[in-house]
Amino acid sequence: MAAPNTQSQGELLADYIAKHRRRFADNLSLAIDAGDVESIHDLRVASRRLTEPLKLLSRWTCRRKTRRILKSMRKTRDAFRRVRDLDVVLASIHEPQAAPPIGADDKAQLDEILSQARERAFIKARRVCQRINADDADDRIDDLVSQFTGSLTDEANADIETRVSNLVASWTQRLLEKDPRDPLTTDLHDTRLCAKRLRYSVELYRDIGSRQDDPRTTALASMQEILGHWNDQLVVASRITAVARRPDVLATHAGWAAKLLEIATTRLRSAEEDRPRIIAVWQGCHSILHSADATTDADHGAPDPEFSEPTPQGLGRTFP
């Protein structure tokens, strides 16, 4: 039987930030040096996971410095977005089960165009990171954490858990507002982003309390996966359509452009076919969120207004 964790909530919060700070720094180095595909993805994830903990930390440190760090990480994340999108497209066209099948010559031609676009996007992203000194975020976060841990009080420790609980309640409300069964939720992008932010908040709540795994993390991971697939199909369709519409392609390779548009159309149909699957996964996720939310409300009361969004209209509606 494992010994109970005797760390305070503040110390656990500092550990959580340190863990993802290292992941961000390590993957940023690999991304800038070599354009590593997985590192680009992982640095973007790490920067998102750090957002809410750093906002929370700013209550006891320097808000101005925190805003600067968050702005730098956001710019870094945005700089690599196009690179990441092109990585998704390149991986997609090489999938064995890709439909419709892409001939070897067509695939090679498309791969060359996309790889060139990726290289240009990567060079631009690296320049952005160098201009904003993105790698300085590591040391700046470390300084904030040191400042925070050096002034921890019992009152701060109690406040941290309550505020993270309120953060989870706020993102739960926002996700329930974006119920994919609702006819008004035609665009699932907000649902995808809310599911992602809620999952990260739940994992933070779990880690600062030394809790066992929360059933919400598994449910939200499943939701995030199916919504990620839906989004990837849209990204692939958009990027391939952009290639097909290039004036040089239309003028000299009209037949090939038609094939590309056929591929894009198939991906759009795949995205639309994901909707029933998304709703099926959501059914179980919705039940778990409502059950957990009731427990959270009973334990901690109303969300802290500083971390909460206004209560969405229509929260708690049921759909067939």
Side-chain angles (χ1 to χ4, degrees):
M1 181 176 177
N5 195 324
T6 58
Q7 289 180 286
S8 69
Q9 276 71 32
E11 291 168 333
L12 290 166
L13 175 62
D15 285 352
Y16 181 94
I17 292 172
K19 176 177 69 174
H20 292 292
R21 171 185 63 79
R22 289 191 296 270
R23 288 179 178 174
F24 175 78
D26 291 347
N27 284 294
L28 178 63
S29 178
L30 288 170
I32 291 175
D33 291 345
D36 181 71
V37 172
E38 290 305 317
S39 294
I40 288 172
H41 172 262
D42 291 346
L43 81 84
R44 298 182 80 238
V45 171
S47 72
R48 290 194 189 97
R49 288 183 182 275
L50 284 165
T51 299
E52 296 295 352
L54 288 175
K55 287 180 181 178
L56 179 57
L57 204 70
S58 72
R59 295 187 59 83
W60 296 278
T61 56
C62 179
R63 292 178 184 270
R64 180 173 53 83
K65 290 180 179 179
T66 302
R67 284 194 296 269
R68 287 179 178 174
I69 292 169
L70 292 173
K71 183 177 180 180
S72 174
M73 289 198 302
R74 184 178 66 251
K75 286 185 176 181
T76 302
R77 193 164 62 239
D78 291 348
F80 281 107
R81 178 184 292 120
R82 179 173 172 81
V83 184
R84 175 60 186 166
D85 284 353
L86 288 164
D87 285 338
V88 168
V89 182
L90 283 163
S92 176
I93 66 173
H94 289 287
E95 291 174 352
Q97 69 274 24
I102 307 174
D105 291 342
D106 292 336
K107 185 182 294 185
Q109 189 174 357
L110 182 56
D111 186 285
E112 181 180 2
I113 290 174
L114 292 172
S115 295
Q116 290 172 352
R118 196 232 188 231
E119 181 62 20
R120 291 192 297 270
F122 169 64
I123 292 172
K124 184 177 180 180
R126 185 162 55 185
R127 286 174 180 164
V128 170
C129 291
Q130 290 169 344
R131 186 177 70 247
I132 65 174
N133 295 319
D135 51 357
D136 286 351
D138 184 29
D139 290 336
R140 286 183 285 169
I141 293 173
D142 193 38
D143 289 344
L144 285 180
V145 171
S146 296
Q147 180 185 346
F148 169 70
T149 54
S151 58
L152 263 178
T153 64
D154 290 342
E155 182 181 359
N157 282 317
D159 198 26
I160 287 167
E161 183 163 7
T162 299
R163 289 183 179 278
V164 175
S165 175
N166 291 335
L167 178 67
V168 170
S170 175
W171 279 110
T172 299
Q173 290 176 350
R174 293 180 67 172
L175 178 56
L176 292 173
E177 163 78 357
K178 301 299 179 182
D179 192 317
R181 298 169 296 181
D182 187 343
L184 298 178
T185 309
T186 55
D187 185 351
L188 295 174
H189 281 294
D190 285 344
T191 305
R192 182 176 68 89
L193 295 176
C194 286
K196 186 183 299 184
R197 296 289 290 274
L198 176 56
R199 178 187 172 189
Y200 297 162
S201 298
V202 169
E203 289 174 350
L204 173 62
Y205 180 71
R206 176 198 65 197
D207 289 356
I208 67 162
S210 299
R211 297 173 179 83
Q212 297 299 315
D213 203 12
D214 190 310
R216 287 174 292 187
T217 60
T218 302
L220 289 164
S222 298
M223 195 69 194
Q224 195 176 337
E225 181 178 2
I226 185 66
L227 285 166
H229 182 270
W230 169 84
N231 185 66
D232 286 350
Q233 301 312 300
L234 299 184
V235 169
V236 172
S238 175
R239 297 295 181 186
I240 290 180
T241 298
V243 173
R245 294 181 61 215
R246 281 173 40 168
D248 59 324
V249 172
L250 291 171
T252 60
H253 302 286
W256 186 60
K259 291 180 182 179
L260 294 182
L261 291 174
E262 181 184 352
I263 295 169
T265 299
T266 301
R267 296 311 176 100
L268 291 173
R269 290 195 181 114
S270 176
E272 193 61 26
E273 289 167 0
D274 275 341
R275 283 182 177 267
R277 291 190 282 269
I278 289 168
I279 290 174
V281 174
W282 173 252
Q283 304 278 12
C285 184
H286 182 268
S287 176
I288 290 172
L289 291 180
H290 264 299
S291 175
D293 197 37
T295 302
T296 300
D297 287 345
D299 289 345
H300 297 285
D304 186 323
E306 181 167 349
F307 281 85
S308 303
E309 299 293 329
T311 302
Q313 295 299 314
L315 182 63
R317 287 176 291 174
T318 56
F319 304 99

